[in-house]
Amino acid sequence: MRLQRVARFLILCLIVMSSGIAWQANAEYADVVLNQKSEKEGVRPVIFPHWFHRIRFKCKVCHAELGFKMRVGSNHISMENITAGEFCGACHNGDVAWSADECDLCHSGKPGLKTGIRGGHETMGPGIW
Amino acid sequence: MKYSRSLQLIQLGVLGALLMGVALAALSAEKKDPNKFNRLMTPISERNPPPAEDGIHDPESFGTELLQTPRASFSVLPRSPSGNYVNWTKALDDGAIEPRYHRDDADAGPVVMDLNIVREVKGSMPNVVYPHKQHTEWLDCSNCHPALFIPQKGANQISMAQILLGEACGACHGKVAFPVSECRRCHSQPKLEVSKTE
């Protein structure tokens, strides 16, 4: 009984603390977190910065040529794809951009992040609106 | 029984201290001025934070400190009031950025279509002028047609509610392109002007 109460209290503490942390989050607009497979495979989530890439390539290159669908969660990318030159691997091959052996440069997200796009009007307000 | 009562008291005490801590952190972030101008807006000094401070990059990751900071990159680009605080359209028009249209061909250029679609809107807002030109600079026709927009006049009913939920224009505007808070960049044709020209 007492143990249960202590556990409940600890969970409450965690919620309070994490809400404090979430409140400080100020991710760059359009940063994408990819964590469908990363943490299950034991690496940090991937953070994809749209801003960095759009300075170098137009939307069409990734979203038409390379086949990235424009909906978060609909691109099931694995390291096999990337080393085979698909998706990120079309450029991240050591030729156009750094190669896939620079793990930490892409897998740089905080553990526990959910897959999704950050900073839009859907995520900034108190609710979905 | 007494023991559990005191345990409860300790728990309440710790929780209170935690809540105080969060409230204090909030206050100190507002520089202790409760009546600060534009209290809820991100101050300019906190816009485009470096990866280690943005809340999603892991400051303990070796890669995080090697990444370029948005602030350094954006310092040479035209500004805008929201999103990345960069006017990407202007940056492209001015030649401040030269994004490639093809993965490995730096000289490939887009097939630009210069066709404005005027959408008359209900209510008092100015009509929407949709410029194909600025969109075809960046995108391929297949990015929007036919999944997001049926390429036929009158076939697409669009509401702000849809856009806010990520449909139609909202697939990009509010996610990666300028958000809907910049009303007048789309709602740009005054209705008075229309009735005059007719």
PDB file of all heavy atoms in Angstrom, chain A residues 14-30:
ATOM      1  N   LEU A  14       8.001  12.925 -11.667  1.00  0.00           N
ATOM      2  CA  LEU A  14       8.555  12.809 -13.025  1.00  0.00           C
ATOM      3  C   LEU A  14       7.747  13.647 -13.999  1.00  0.00           C
ATOM      4  O   LEU A  14       8.299  14.347 -14.838  1.00  0.00           O
ATOM      5  CB  LEU A  14       8.543  11.346 -13.469  1.00  0.00           C
ATOM      6  CG  LEU A  14       9.813  10.572 -13.137  1.00  0.00           C
ATOM      7  CD1 LEU A  14       9.658   9.119 -13.574  1.00  0.00           C
ATOM      8  CD2 LEU A  14      11.011  11.205 -13.854  1.00  0.00           C
ATOM      9  N   ILE A  15       6.399  13.578 -13.855  1.00  0.00           N
ATOM     10  CA  ILE A  15       5.533  14.343 -14.768  1.00  0.00           C
ATOM     11  C   ILE A  15       5.795  15.830 -14.604  1.00  0.00           C
ATOM     12  O   ILE A  15       5.964  16.557 -15.589  1.00  0.00           O
ATOM     13  CB  ILE A  15       4.045  14.008 -14.511  1.00  0.00           C
ATOM     14  CG1 ILE A  15       3.750  12.566 -14.939  1.00  0.00           C
ATOM     15  CG2 ILE A  15       3.130  14.968 -15.259  1.00  0.00           C
ATOM     16  CD1 ILE A  15       2.401  12.052 -14.514  1.00  0.00           C
ATOM     17  N   VAL A  16       5.860  16.288 -13.352  1.00  0.00           N
ATOM     18  CA  VAL A  16       6.104  17.718 -13.093  1.00  0.00           C
ATOM     19  C   VAL A  16       7.427  18.143 -13.705  1.00  0.00           C
ATOM     20  O   VAL A  16       7.530  19.158 -14.400  1.00  0.00           O
ATOM     21  CB  VAL A  16       6.089  18.000 -11.570  1.00  0.00           C
ATOM     22  CG1 VAL A  16       6.578  19.413 -11.292  1.00  0.00           C
ATOM     23  CG2 VAL A  16       4.686  17.828 -11.022  1.00  0.00           C
ATOM     24  N   MET A  17       8.461  17.316 -13.470  1.00  0.00           N
ATOM     25  CA  MET A  17       9.791  17.669 -13.982  1.00  0.00           C
ATOM     26  C   MET A  17       9.826  17.670 -15.502  1.00  0.00           C
ATOM     27  O   MET A  17      10.372  18.573 -16.123  1.00  0.00           O
ATOM     28  CB  MET A  17      10.836  16.693 -13.435  1.00  0.00           C
ATOM     29  CG  MET A  17      11.363  17.144 -12.078  1.00  0.00           C
ATOM     30  SD  MET A  17      12.015  15.780 -11.137  1.00  0.00           S
ATOM     31  CE  MET A  17      13.385  15.296 -12.128  1.00  0.00           C
ATOM     32  N   SER A  18       9.191  16.639 -16.109  1.00  0.00           N
ATOM     33  CA  SER A  18       9.262  16.551 -17.575  1.00  0.00           C
ATOM     34  C   SER A  18       8.463  17.677 -18.219  1.00  0.00           C
ATOM     35  O   SER A  18       8.815  18.168 -19.285  1.00  0.00           O
ATOM     36  CB  SER A  18       8.757  15.191 -18.064  1.00  0.00           C
ATOM     37  OG  SER A  18       7.424  15.035 -17.691  1.00  0.00           O
ATOM     38  N   SER A  19       7.358  18.116 -17.544  1.00  0.00           N
ATOM     39  CA  SER A  19       6.611  19.230 -18.122  1.00  0.00           C
ATOM     40  C   SER A  19       7.462  20.492 -18.087  1.00  0.00           C
ATOM     41  O   SER A  19       7.392  21.329 -18.971  1.00  0.00           O
ATOM     42  CB  SER A  19       5.295  19.435 -17.374  1.00  0.00           C
ATOM     43  OG  SER A  19       5.555  19.892 -16.067  1.00  0.00           O
ATOM     44  N   GLY A  20       8.292  20.611 -17.047  1.00  0.00           N
ATOM     45  CA  GLY A  20       9.226  21.738 -16.980  1.00  0.00           C
ATOM     46  C   GLY A  20      10.215  21.703 -18.116  1.00  0.00           C
ATOM     47  O   GLY A  20      10.532  22.721 -18.734  1.00  0.00           O
ATOM     48  N   ILE A  21      10.679  20.488 -18.439  1.00  0.00           N
ATOM     49  CA  ILE A  21      11.660  20.347 -19.520  1.00  0.00           C
ATOM     50  C   ILE A  21      11.006  20.628 -20.875  1.00  0.00           C
ATOM     51  O   ILE A  21      11.532  21.352 -21.694  1.00  0.00           O
ATOM     52  CB  ILE A  21      12.288  18.932 -19.494  1.00  0.00           C
ATOM     53  CG1 ILE A  21      13.144  18.782 -18.235  1.00  0.00           C
ATOM     54  CG2 ILE A  21      13.126  18.686 -20.732  1.00  0.00           C
ATOM     55  CD1 ILE A  21      13.463  17.349 -17.879  1.00  0.00           C
ATOM     56  N   ALA A  22       9.785  20.047 -21.059  1.00  0.00           N
ATOM     57  CA  ALA A  22       9.092  20.224 -22.340  1.00  0.00           C
ATOM     58  C   ALA A  22       8.805  21.700 -22.574  1.00  0.00           C
ATOM     59  O   ALA A  22       8.843  22.185 -23.693  1.00  0.00           O
ATOM     60  CB  ALA A  22       7.792  19.431 -22.338  1.00  0.00           C
ATOM     61  N   TRP A  23       8.542  22.423 -21.494  1.00  0.00           N
ATOM     62  CA  TRP A  23       8.222  23.830 -21.588  1.00  0.00           C
ATOM     63  C   TRP A  23       9.415  24.625 -22.125  1.00  0.00           C
ATOM     64  O   TRP A  23       9.255  25.643 -22.774  1.00  0.00           O
ATOM     65  CB  TRP A  23       7.806  24.307 -20.191  1.00  0.00           C
ATOM     66  CG  TRP A  23       7.605  25.762 -20.053  1.00  0.00           C
ATOM     67  CD1 TRP A  23       6.541  26.484 -20.494  1.00  0.00           C
ATOM     68  CD2 TRP A  23       8.496  26.691 -19.443  1.00  0.00           C
ATOM     69  NE1 TRP A  23       6.715  27.792 -20.190  1.00  0.00           N
ATOM     70  CE2 TRP A  23       7.897  27.958 -19.543  1.00  0.00           C
ATOM     71  CE3 TRP A  23       9.730  26.573 -18.806  1.00  0.00           C
ATOM     72  CZ2 TRP A  23       8.504  29.096 -19.042  1.00  0.00           C
ATOM     73  CZ3 TRP A  23      10.327  27.695 -18.308  1.00  0.00           C
ATOM     74  CH2 TRP A  23       9.710  28.944 -18.432  1.00  0.00           C
ATOM     75  N   GLN A  24      10.617  24.120 -21.861  1.00  0.00           N
ATOM     76  CA  GLN A  24      11.812  24.828 -22.321  1.00  0.00           C
ATOM     77  C   GLN A  24      12.165  24.498 -23.771  1.00  0.00           C
ATOM     78  O   GLN A  24      12.964  25.191 -24.368  1.00  0.00           O
ATOM     79  CB  GLN A  24      13.002  24.465 -21.438  1.00  0.00           C
ATOM     80  CG  GLN A  24      12.892  25.054 -20.035  1.00  0.00           C
ATOM     81  CD  GLN A  24      14.032  24.621 -19.157  1.00  0.00           C
ATOM     82  OE1 GLN A  24      14.631  23.583 -19.382  1.00  0.00           O
ATOM     83  NE2 GLN A  24      14.331  25.418 -18.147  1.00  0.00           N
ATOM     84  N   ALA A  25      11.564  23.410 -24.305  1.00  0.00           N
ATOM     85  CA  ALA A  25      11.931  22.976 -25.654  1.00  0.00           C
ATOM     86  C   ALA A  25      11.615  24.066 -26.671  1.00  0.00           C
ATOM     87  O   ALA A  25      10.560  24.657 -26.640  1.00  0.00           O
ATOM     88  CB  ALA A  25      11.186  21.701 -26.012  1.00  0.00           C
ATOM     89  N   ASN A  26      12.541  24.339 -27.561  1.00  0.00           N
ATOM     90  CA  ASN A  26      12.404  25.444 -28.487  1.00  0.00           C
ATOM     91  C   ASN A  26      13.028  25.027 -29.817  1.00  0.00           C
ATOM     92  O   ASN A  26      13.855  25.740 -30.366  1.00  0.00           O
ATOM     93  CB  ASN A  26      13.128  26.661 -27.884  1.00  0.00           C
ATOM     94  CG  ASN A  26      12.728  27.935 -28.565  1.00  0.00           C
ATOM     95  OD1 ASN A  26      11.743  27.976 -29.290  1.00  0.00           O
ATOM     96  ND2 ASN A  26      13.510  28.977 -28.351  1.00  0.00           N
ATOM     97  N   ALA A  27      12.634  23.849 -30.280  1.00  0.00           N
ATOM     98  CA  ALA A  27      13.279  23.272 -31.461  1.00  0.00           C
ATOM     99  C   ALA A  27      13.118  24.173 -32.673  1.00  0.00           C
ATOM    100  O   ALA A  27      12.146  24.907 -32.781  1.00  0.00           O
ATOM    101  CB  ALA A  27      12.677  21.908 -31.755  1.00  0.00           C
ATOM    102  N   GLU A  28      14.051  24.100 -33.589  1.00  0.00           N
ATOM    103  CA  GLU A  28      13.991  24.896 -34.811  1.00  0.00           C
ATOM    104  C   GLU A  28      12.777  24.460 -35.637  1.00  0.00           C
ATOM    105  O   GLU A  28      12.476  23.269 -35.724  1.00  0.00           O
ATOM    106  CB  GLU A  28      15.292  24.700 -35.604  1.00  0.00           C
ATOM    107  CG  GLU A  28      15.476  25.648 -36.768  1.00  0.00           C
ATOM    108  CD  GLU A  28      15.420  27.111 -36.365  1.00  0.00           C
ATOM    109  OE1 GLU A  28      16.039  27.472 -35.349  1.00  0.00           O
ATOM    110  OE2 GLU A  28      14.740  27.890 -37.050  1.00  0.00           O
ATOM    111  N   TYR A  29      12.099  25.446 -36.225  1.00  0.00           N
ATOM    112  CA  TYR A  29      10.906  25.187 -37.034  1.00  0.00           C
ATOM    113  C   TYR A  29      11.207  24.138 -38.108  1.00  0.00           C
ATOM    114  O   TYR A  29      12.217  24.242 -38.802  1.00  0.00           O
ATOM    115  CB  TYR A  29      10.479  26.505 -37.678  1.00  0.00           C
ATOM    116  CG  TYR A  29       9.197  26.505 -38.471  1.00  0.00           C
ATOM    117  CD1 TYR A  29       7.978  26.356 -37.853  1.00  0.00           C
ATOM    118  CD2 TYR A  29       9.222  26.684 -39.847  1.00  0.00           C
ATOM    119  CE1 TYR A  29       6.798  26.396 -38.573  1.00  0.00           C
ATOM    120  CE2 TYR A  29       8.053  26.720 -40.588  1.00  0.00           C
ATOM    121  CZ  TYR A  29       6.844  26.570 -39.939  1.00  0.00           C
ATOM    122  OH  TYR A  29       5.682  26.613 -40.663  1.00  0.00           O
ATOM    123  N   ALA A  30      10.348  23.131 -38.195  1.00  0.00           N
ATOM    124  CA  ALA A  30      10.407  22.086 -39.219  1.00  0.00           C
ATOM    125  C   ALA A  30      11.479  21.028 -38.986  1.00  0.00           C
ATOM    126  O   ALA A  30      11.727  20.204 -39.861  1.00  0.00           O
ATOM    127  CB  ALA A  30      10.561  22.679 -40.625  1.00  0.00           C
TER     128      ALA A  30
END
